[in-house]
Amino acid sequence: MSLPLPLSILDLATVRDGESIREGLEASVAFAQRAEEWGFKRIWYAEHHNMRAVASSATSVLIAHVAANTERITLGSGGVMLPNHSPLVIAEQFGTLASFHPGRIELGLGRAPGTDQVTVSALRRDPAAADRFPQDVQELQAFLGEDTLVPGVHAYPGRGTNVPLWILGSSLYGARVAAALGLPYAFASHFAPDALEQAVALYRKEFQPSAQLSAPHVMAAVNVIAADTADEAAAALHAVQRDRVKRFLSRGGRDLTDEEAEVVLDAPAGQQVRAMTRYTAAGTPDVVVSYLEDFARHADADELIVTFPVVDRAAWFRSAELLVEQLKAVRV
């Protein structure tokens, strides 16, 4: 059986140990070029701040560079954390992108800060901005359309580009916003799995058609670790969990060593990290594809977005390549 749903990629532009930021970013460009050749539908980049291993903080700048080095694949944010920005500035940024690359740009929007509370202060973020998220989404959408909700103010570039919007979420809040505004909904089940079924069901139940979307549309996120053997996949999964412990607990201070991270993995904090990766397709390619089929049904998803969290750079490329090869084989 072949996976019947479109597949997209979420890339955090991760900087591996021993790499410079430039090397990490260049790897993401090369990965996007390969993804375009492989036939993936889209690649999204996520806004995170104050995380040494994540280089996608200036999300629109990264999208611009990748778009200039690819030809067809759709590129977007997964997501821009809208309360960190003014809707007008985001409309101008993504309007510029859409002007350079018409038909290839989309804009996923999140409500969380994408960082810790100290960094929130450094971003000059208004803590109350999250409460205005639905209104800010509507303001942004209007800036990208022909009208404006701010009399006398238009986005140039941006006006008339109608960049497609998505709402990202990991809770019932995002599901309600997406449903009320009639926008597609992407659930972050790759790291926040708990509310997946409830949020998708709520979104589908409460969805109101809009000018952008006539029926509900769900994209669910899932981790993929494909390897040539089951043992290699298991080892890669363990390395991913250890790396996440280091990434989350080393933020802003001294990095944990591998040995220290191994100790944490067996502690309650480590168990929380393991729980975050509940939805992970890890194994040989046939096992991975079978998992994705089951996950799509479980999530009641119209399409999937996969992230390849493999730590080793060569194995990262290989994981995506194996998935593509398996999908092609089962479709013959």
Side-chain angles (χ1 to χ4, degrees), residues 47 155 183 189 192 223 261:
E47 177 187 344
L183 295 174
S189 34
N223 301 293

Side-chain angles (χ1 to χ4, degrees), residues 194-238:
D194 290 345
L196 171 62
E197 302 97 318
Q198 190 177 2
V200 171
L202 177 67
Y203 167 72
R204 292 193 180 279
K205 178 182 178 182
E206 297 188 359
F207 180 84
Q208 299 295 315
S210 68
Q212 179 177 326
L213 195 64
S214 61
H217 189 90
V218 173
M219 181 163 63
V222 57
N223 301 293
V224 168
I225 301 173
D228 290 288
T229 69
D231 287 345
E232 289 175 348
L237 175 59
H238 186 80

Side-chain angles (χ1 to χ4, degrees), residues 41-69:
K41 183 175 182 179
R42 64 168 60 81
I43 298 182
W44 277 358
Y45 300 96
E47 177 187 344
H48 291 280
H49 300 280
N50 195 30
M51 297 184 73
R52 181 189 59 77
V54 177
S56 54
S57 53
T59 313
S60 61
V61 179
L62 177 57
I63 291 170
H65 184 67
V66 175
N69 285 277

Side-chain angles (χ1 to χ4, degrees), residues 241-304:
Q241 293 169 338
R242 183 178 62 219
D243 183 67
R244 290 198 175 190
V245 166
K246 293 170 65 177
R247 187 187 305 173
F248 292 135
L249 300 185
S250 298
R251 180 185 294 169
R254 181 184 69 85
D255 288 352
L256 295 178
T257 65
D258 285 349
E259 292 75 16
E260 289 169 333
E262 288 286 356
V263 172
V264 174
L265 267 177
D266 292 327
Q271 295 305 312
Q272 291 178 348
V273 170
R274 292 180 192 270
M276 290 170 62
T277 57
R278 180 194 311 167
Y279 294 123
T280 298
T284 53
D286 58 324
V287 170
V288 166
V289 169
S290 178
Y291 183 100
L292 293 180
E293 292 168 351
D294 291 341
F295 173 73
R297 286 189 291 269
H298 172 75
D300 192 18
D302 299 293
E303 55 183 297
L304 299 181

Side-chain angles (χ1 to χ4, degrees), residues 1-329:
M1 183 188 301
S2 62
L3 195 72
L5 306 181
L7 279 182
S8 300
I9 294 174
L10 174 65
D11 181 9
L12 298 182
T14 305
V15 181
R16 307 297 201 260
D17 288 344
E19 288 183 338
S20 66
I21 290 177
R22 177 169 181 167
E23 288 170 334
L25 290 170
E26 287 176 342
S28 283
V29 174
F31 195 70
Q33 292 168 334
R34 295 292 299 278
E36 185 171 73
E37 296 171 3
W38 288 326
F40 283 95
K41 183 175 182 179
R42 64 168 60 81
I43 298 182
W44 277 358
Y45 300 96
E47 177 187 344
H48 291 280
H49 300 280
N50 195 30
M51 297 184 73
R52 181 189 59 77
V54 177
S56 54
S57 53
T59 313
S60 61
V61 179
L62 177 57
I63 291 170
H65 184 67
V66 175
N69 285 277
T70 52
E71 297 178 358
R72 301 174 305 280
I73 195 166
T74 298
L75 299 166
S77 59
V80 161
M81 301 296 106
L82 189 55
N84 293 345
H85 313 276
S86 79
L88 176 61
V89 169
I90 296 303
E92 291 169 341
Q93 291 177 1
F94 279 78
T96 301
L97 290 169
S99 298
F100 275 124
H101 309 283
R104 295 184 58 201
I105 303 299
E106 55 192 12
L107 176 52
L109 301 166
R111 176 174 174 258
T115 190
D116 57 81
Q117 291 304 309
V118 176
T119 310
V120 165
S121 177
L123 286 167
R124 303 297 191 266
R125 181 180 187 267
D126 176 7
D131 298 331
R132 300 191 300 270
F133 180 68
Q135 293 77 22
D136 283 351
V137 172
Q138 291 175 299
E139 185 176 308
L140 170 59
Q141 189 174 40
F143 279 136
L144 293 169
E146 294 295 342
D147 299 320
T148 177
L149 298 181
V150 183
V153 179
H154 295 276
Y156 299 113
R159 185 181 186 184
T161 56
N162 294 301
V163 175
L165 303 185
W166 288 71
I167 299 298
L168 280 59
S170 59
S171 68
L172 302 187
Y173 180 90
R176 286 196 172 96
V177 172
L181 299 182
L183 295 174
Y185 181 50
F187 192 88
S189 34
H190 64 300
F191 77 92
D194 290 345
L196 171 62
E197 302 97 318
Q198 190 177 2
V200 171
L202 177 67
Y203 167 72
R204 292 193 180 279
K205 178 182 178 182
E206 297 188 359
F207 180 84
Q208 299 295 315
S210 68
Q212 179 177 326
L213 195 64
S214 61
H217 189 90
V218 173
M219 181 163 63
V222 57
N223 301 293
V224 168
I225 301 173
D228 290 288
T229 69
D231 287 345
E232 289 175 348
L237 175 59
H238 186 80
V240 166
Q241 293 169 338
R242 183 178 62 219
D243 183 67
R244 290 198 175 190
V245 166
K246 293 170 65 177
R247 187 187 305 173
F248 292 135
L249 300 185
S250 298
R251 180 185 294 169
R254 181 184 69 85
D255 288 352
L256 295 178
T257 65
D258 285 349
E259 292 75 16
E260 289 169 333
E262 288 286 356
V263 172
V264 174
L265 267 177
D266 292 327
Q271 295 305 312
Q272 291 178 348
V273 170
R274 292 180 192 270
M276 290 170 62
T277 57
R278 180 194 311 167
Y279 294 123
T280 298
T284 53
D286 58 324
V287 170
V288 166
V289 169
S290 178
Y291 183 100
L292 293 180
E293 292 168 351
D294 291 341
F295 173 73
R297 286 189 291 269
H298 172 75
D300 192 18
D302 299 293
E303 55 183 297
L304 299 181
I305 186 165
V306 301
T307 181
F308 298 96
V310 180
V311 176
D312 178 79
R313 184 65 78 188
W316 180 56
F317 277 93
R318 181 63 175 157
S319 188
E321 185 177 48
L322 287 170
L323 173 59
V324 171
E325 289 176 351
Q326 180 67 21
L327 289 172
K328 288 181 177 178

